[in-house]
């Protein structure tokens, strides 16, 4: 994986801007610690930081190849991602007369663009964000993978477009201020730590939406959706559906195990990570690659303080051991204590350029940092719950009828945290209602579907397009902040599109959440793991963490210089701090973010405002 950035400008000579593009590029060094490169021309400047995974010697970027039918004009590429069908594309391009100089997928992607132009995106299977400059036509083409696994932000203004894998690259441009307006604050306090698709939060900054491409030339900018979820009749029975799911998942995992550097899996002992690890072990056995390395995360004294509840019904540790023994992996347990977790909140903000999922982000950052010491690529089970319907809100009547995002039901609590002035400005309930209505209006309808089936299709669509991006963004930014590439097989677009149209009664085969996935894995996993109750990514249950973040937040409220003070109702927060219980299990976001994470999120907002010297334009 890598970090990319660039600058198109019709009113400046960018050959004189080497220093600026260097600064923009260097902000992305953690994403690409192995190599760097820049390319400048009159109207276009590109920067690239590289994490070497395939063909370390031959895959340098920016990469340049002649444009089709041209000896004098080039196409120049910067690319972040992995193409899992690169071998097939390479063979097809070779039959068309192309000759390759490297064995990396970067050259495959560039020559695919040379041959098929923007239409190349329809042929790609992978996770990617890339930009191509066509020198003869003086145009920029950018695209992002179908599910948005890899990030890509941009900022357009008169005669100029800036882009980068992360906001920090754009913010490094000397003409860009770190500014937030009312809509950006609404994203933080009303939608956050999720984001509305395409919204960059920073003023005048956007994120290229998943499955979209962008064309920018002297005539302006055009956006195009080259892929989106489609509704269709599902005509297979339970047995055939389970077989199809298994075949798709096995093929996806095998494609994503290709690497020239050490690879591992993240193992929680749950259904999703255990399945991916089992497929990896089988592939390694068949190809003679030895034993698979696995990693897990936990927290000091979690065994003493864990209490089961609806959102986290059981602890992971016994199940990790069960799967480790069953599969014979080389396991590496990682454990963190409260001071480490609280201390990493700031690092998580710097990785994301925004407040995020508090200690859920911080723990992942620490976990990835430890994994990176022993591996460069990891396989992770993100997205299975959104795709197969595993979350509690798929199965709770109150969430299904809520007429709002089901992972963010505490709208009154969130609104009460804001200062009266900001509350009046943002109108949080209205903002949330508008964003929810926008999402619901996008759902592709299936004629003749029952009201109950329409409701579950809507729930699936909301989770795939609104909640899943939050977790994918978290995984990308925390892992790439330490130079670790994480691959997510459940995000293969073939699998996502297929499962989206599986009727709910088949998805819940056996009257269980993710029932069809469980059925597809019969014989792959032992029955006790196969039918284990879903448990999310582990968080700390240590009351010392709650006390630590609560006390730190109260210190900020006592600091008259805190930039947080004008934005929040300090009396209300003090009231919550006095009344809250470290054992509170009612999330205000997702499954994991309850009382301690609320205080940690506000701490992240305070740090973010200070560190980035954020200017508010209200």
């Amino acid at each position: 994986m890598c970090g990319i950035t660039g600058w198109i400008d019709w009113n400046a000579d960018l050959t004189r801007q080497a220093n600026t593009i260097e600064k923009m590029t260097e902000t992305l060094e953690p994403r690409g610690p192995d190599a760097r490169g820049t390319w400048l021309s009159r109207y276009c400047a590109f920067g690239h930081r590289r994490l070497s995974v395939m063909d370390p010697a031959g895959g340098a970027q920016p990469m340049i190849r002649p444009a089709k039918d041209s000896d004098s004009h080039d196409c120049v590429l910067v690319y972040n991602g992995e193409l899992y069908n690169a071998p097939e594309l390479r063979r097809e391009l070779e039959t068309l007369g192309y000759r390759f100089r490297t064995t990396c997928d970067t050259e495959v992607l560039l020559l695919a663009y040379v041959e098929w132009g923007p239409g190349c995106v329809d042929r790609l299977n992978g996770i990617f964000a890339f930009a191509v400059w066509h020198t003869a036509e003086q145009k920029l083409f950018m695209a992002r993978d179908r599910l948005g696994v890899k990030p890509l932000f941009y900022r357009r203004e008169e005669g100029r477009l800036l882009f980068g894998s992360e906001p920090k690259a754009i913010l490094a441009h000397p003409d860009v201020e770190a500014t937030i307006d009312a809509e950006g604050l609404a994203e933080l306090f009303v939608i956050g730590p999720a984001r509305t698709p395409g919204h960059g939060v920073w003023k005048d900054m956007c994120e290229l939406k998943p499955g979209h491409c962008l064309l920018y030339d002297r005539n302006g900018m055009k956006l195009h959706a080259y892929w989106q979820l489609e509704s269709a009749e599902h005509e297979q029975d339970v047995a055939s559906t389970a077989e199809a799911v298994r075949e798709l998942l096995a093929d996806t995992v095998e494609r994503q195990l290709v690497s020239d550097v050490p690879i591992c899996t993240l193992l929680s002992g749950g259904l999703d990570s255990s399945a991916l690890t089992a497929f990896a072990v089988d592939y390694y056995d068949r190809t003679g690659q030895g034993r698979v390395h696995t990693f897990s995360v936990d927290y000091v004294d979690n065994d003493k303080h864990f209490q089961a509840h609806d959102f986290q019904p059981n602890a992971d540790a016994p199940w990790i051991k069960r799967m480790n023994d069953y599969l014979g992996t080389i396991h590496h347990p990682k454990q963190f204590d409260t001071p480490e977790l609280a201390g990493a909140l700031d690092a998580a903000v710097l990785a994301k350029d925004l407040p995020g999922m508090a200690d859920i982000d911080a723990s992942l950052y620490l976990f990835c940092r430890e994994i990176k010491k022993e591996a460069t690529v990891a396989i992770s089970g993100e997205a299975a719950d959104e795709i197969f319907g595993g979350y509690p809100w798929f199965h709770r009547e109150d969430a299904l009828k809520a007429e709002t995002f089901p992972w963010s039901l505490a709208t009154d609590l969130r609104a009460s945290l804001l200062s009266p002035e900001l509350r009046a400005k943002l109108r949080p309930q209205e903002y949330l209602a508008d964003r929810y209505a926008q999402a619901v209006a996008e759902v592709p309808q299936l004629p003749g579907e029952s009201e109950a089936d329409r409701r579950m299709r809507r729930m699936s669509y909301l989770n795939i397009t609104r909640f899943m991006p939050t977790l994918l963004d978290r995984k990308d930014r925390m892992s790439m902040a330490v130079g670790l590439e994480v691959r997510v097989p459940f995000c293969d677009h073939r699998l996502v599109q297929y499962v989206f149209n599986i009727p709910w009664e088949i998805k819940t085969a056996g009257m269980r959440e993710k029932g069809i996935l469980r059925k597809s894995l019969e014989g792959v996993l032992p029955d006790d793991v196969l039918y284990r109750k879903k448990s999310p990514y582990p968080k700390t249950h240590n009351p010392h963490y709650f006390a630590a973040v609560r006390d730190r937040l109260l210190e900020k409220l006592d600091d008259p210089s805190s930039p947080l003070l004008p934005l929040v109702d300090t009396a209300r927060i003090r009231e919550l701090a006095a009344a809250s219980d470290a054992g509170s299990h009612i999330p205000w976001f997702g499954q994991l973010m309850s009382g301690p994470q609320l205080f940690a999120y506000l701490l992240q907002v305070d740090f973010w405002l200070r560190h980035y010297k954020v200017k508010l334009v209200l």
Side-chain angles (χ1 to χ4, degrees):
M1 295 297 172
C2 307
I4 65 174
T5 189
W7 175 9
I8 310 300
D9 201 319
W10 308 121
N11 302 314
D13 182 357
L14 298 189
T15 61
R16 301 174 179 270
Q17 297 295 330
N19 187 53
T20 297
I21 199 67
E22 288 278 0
K23 288 180 179 178
M24 294 169 67
T25 304
E26 288 313 297
T27 64
L28 302 172
E29 180 179 5
R31 297 186 70 91
D34 298 330
R36 54 165 293 281
T38 58
W39 178 87
L40 293 90
S41 67
R42 175 69 173 80
Y43 301 113
C44 174
F46 278 172
H48 185 265
R49 291 291 319 196
R50 187 182 185 200
L51 174 66
S52 298
V53 173
M54 300 295 293
D55 191 4
Q61 296 186 48
M63 184 174 282
I64 306 170
R65 293 290 183 271
K68 191 174 185 181
D69 302 324
S70 173
D71 295 326
S72 59
H73 296 288
D74 294 322
C75 289
V76 187
L77 170 74
V78 283
Y79 158 55
N80 168 33
E82 296 288 345
L83 294 185
Y84 303 128
N85 65 334
E88 295 98 313
L89 290 173
R90 183 187 183 98
R91 288 192 292 270
E92 185 175 1
L93 288 165
E94 285 175 335
T95 64
L96 294 171
Y98 289 92
R99 296 294 176 261
F100 287 82
R101 307 172 189 173
T102 73
T103 61
C104 70
D105 61 346
T106 304
E107 188 176 20
V108 173
L109 174 58
L110 179 51
L111 292 181
Y113 178 83
V114 169
E115 173 62 26
W116 296 300
C120 70
V121 293
D122 297 321
R123 300 170 177 262
L124 307 180
N125 179 335
I127 54 178
F128 53 83
F130 68 88
V132 180
W133 175 252
H134 195 297
T135 59
E137 299 181 13
Q138 293 186 8
K139 68 179 182 182
L140 175 76
F141 177 77
M142 301 200 303
R144 192 174 176 211
D145 66 73
R146 293 169 178 82
L147 277 303
V149 178
K150 292 288 104 182
L152 186 57
F153 294 84
Y154 67 93
R155 174 187 167 111
R156 182 197 176 195
E157 49 200 53
E158 186 64 34
R160 175 161 67 184
L161 185 139
L162 305 169
F163 71 86
S165 293
E166 298 176 7
K168 56 174 60 71
I170 298 171
L171 293 170
H173 192 283
D175 294 342
V176 177
E177 283 191 308
T179 304
I180 301 290
D181 59 14
E183 190 169 303
L185 286 176
E187 288 289 311
L188 284 178
F189 286 112
V190 181
I191 305 296
R195 281 186 288 115
T196 300
H199 209 299
V201 181
W202 297 95
K203 189 176 185 299
D204 298 325
M205 194 180 297
C206 300
E207 185 172 25
L208 189 61
K209 292 180 183 179
H212 278 65
C213 51
L214 179 155
L215 180 66
Y216 182 66
D217 60 19
R218 289 182 179 274
N219 295 318
M221 184 179 78
K222 296 179 181 178
L223 294 170
H224 170 67
Y226 69 88
W227 185 86
Q228 54 193 349
L229 286 169
E230 296 179 351
S231 292
E233 293 283 355
H234 183 87
E235 298 178 347
Q236 294 173 296
D237 61 14
V238 172
S240 299
T241 301
E243 182 180 358
V245 168
R246 179 172 174 166
E247 289 177 355
L248 274 170
L249 191 55
D251 177 71
T252 298
V253 173
E254 290 193 13
R255 288 176 180 273
Q256 298 192 20
L257 286 171
V258 176
S259 174
D260 290 339
V261 295
I263 194 166
C264 65
T265 73
L266 309 187
L267 179 63
S268 70
L271 177 68
D272 312 329
S273 66
S274 296
L276 300 183
T277 303
F279 283 125
V281 168
D282 177 67
Y283 179 73
Y284 268 44
D285 287 345
R286 286 188 282 110
T287 56
Q289 296 188 53
R291 295 167 68 190
V292 172
H293 287 253
T294 54
F295 289 79
S296 65
V297 62
D298 207 346
Y299 309 94
V300 172
D301 290 336
N302 244 18
D303 55 338
K304 298 178 183 177
H305 301 294
F306 178 82
Q307 296 179 22
H309 56 90
D310 287 349
F311 291 95
Q312 200 153 16
N314 47 54
D316 286 337
W319 297 97
I320 293 169
K321 184 178 187 307
R322 172 77 171 101
M323 282 307 301
N324 181 38
D325 293 342
Y326 180 78
L327 294 173
T329 64
I330 301 172
H331 191 63
H332 308 264
K334 303 298 177 182
Q335 191 176 72
F336 306 110
D337 204 352
T338 293
E340 295 174 275
L341 201 54
L345 288 171
D346 294 352
V349 173
L350 297 177
K352 194 174 182 181
D353 295 318
L354 290 169
M357 294 185 73
D359 56 279
I360 315 302
D361 281 1
S363 64
L364 183 59
Y365 170 85
L366 294 171
F367 186 31
C368 290
R369 191 174 66 182
E370 291 302 305
I371 296 170
K372 174 63 177 178
K373 296 175 182 178
E374 302 173 68
T376 304
V377 180
I379 302 290
S380 182
E382 259 77 17
D385 289 306
E386 291 89 344
I387 296 164
F388 287 95
Y391 289 123
W393 47 76
F394 277 91
H395 310 275
R396 295 168 64 112
E397 199 66 19
D398 61 335
L400 289 169
K401 293 181 176 180
E403 296 300 325
T404 189
F405 298 116
W407 50 85
S408 189
L409 298 178
T411 54
D412 291 341
L413 168 63
R414 294 174 69 117
S416 74
L417 300 175
L418 303 179
S419 67
E421 296 79 13
L422 189 59
R423 200 180 312 145
K425 184 75 174 179
L426 301 187
R427 297 181 177 180
Q429 282 88 352
E430 292 181 30
Y431 189 84
L432 181 62
D434 288 345
R435 293 308 193 192
Y436 178 72
Q438 173 189 350
V440 169
E442 297 172 5
V443 180
Q445 301 301 315
L446 184 64
E449 200 167 39
S450 70
E451 176 56 35
D453 286 339
R454 277 198 297 272
R455 183 169 68 172
M456 297 317 300
R457 183 178 296 278
R458 181 177 65 203
M459 179 66 84
S460 294
Y461 185 87
L462 291 174
N463 276 264
I464 293 170
T465 65
R466 296 308 193 271
F467 188 70
M468 191 169 80
T470 308
L471 302 190
L472 295 177
D473 183 63
R474 163 182 173 260
K475 181 58 64 76
D476 173 84
R477 306 292 274 285
M478 298 307 119
S479 61
M480 293 305 293
V482 297
L484 176 72
E485 175 187 325
V486 177
R487 299 175 179 176
V488 281
F490 283 107
C491 284
D492 185 289
H493 70 276
R494 302 169 302 162
L495 180 67
V496 174
Q497 178 61 70
Y498 178 77
V499 176
F500 179 66
N501 284 308
I502 297 175
W504 187 245
E505 64 269 19
I506 296 181
K507 276 187 186 176
T508 53
M511 304 297 289
R512 285 296 307 272
E513 77 282 358
K514 298 196 288 191
I516 194 63
L517 178 59
R518 297 178 196 275
K519 186 167 183 61
S520 75
L521 296 170
E522 290 177 352
V524 175
L525 300 177
D527 285 350
D528 54 346
V529 175
L530 191 62
Y531 291 100
R532 175 193 173 192
K533 185 74 174 175
K534 174 190 161 42
S535 191
Y537 176 87
K539 70 173 183 177
T540 181
H541 298 271
N542 194 323
H544 294 307
Y545 179 76
F546 170 79
V549 294
R550 178 197 61 200
D551 294 347
R552 278 182 58 188
L553 181 59
L554 291 174
E555 289 176 6
K556 301 299 181 187
L557 299 185
D558 288 335
D559 177 4
S561 69
S562 169
L564 184 65
L565 297 184
L567 304 179
V568 298
D569 187 331
T570 57
R572 174 61 173 145
I573 295 172
R574 291 183 190 280
E575 177 187 339
L576 290 171
S580 292
D581 176 5
S584 172
H585 303 311
I586 302 175
W588 61 275
F589 183 84
Q591 297 179 91
L592 301 175
M593 297 186 70
S594 52
Q597 289 71 38
L598 173 58
F599 297 141
Y601 184 74
L602 292 174
L603 279 173
Q604 286 192 315
V605 173
D606 180 87
F607 171 77
W608 171 74
L609 290 166
R610 294 174 191 261
H611 180 84
Y612 288 84
K613 299 180 175 59
V614 177
K615 179 181 177 183
L616 302 180
V617 180
L618 300 178

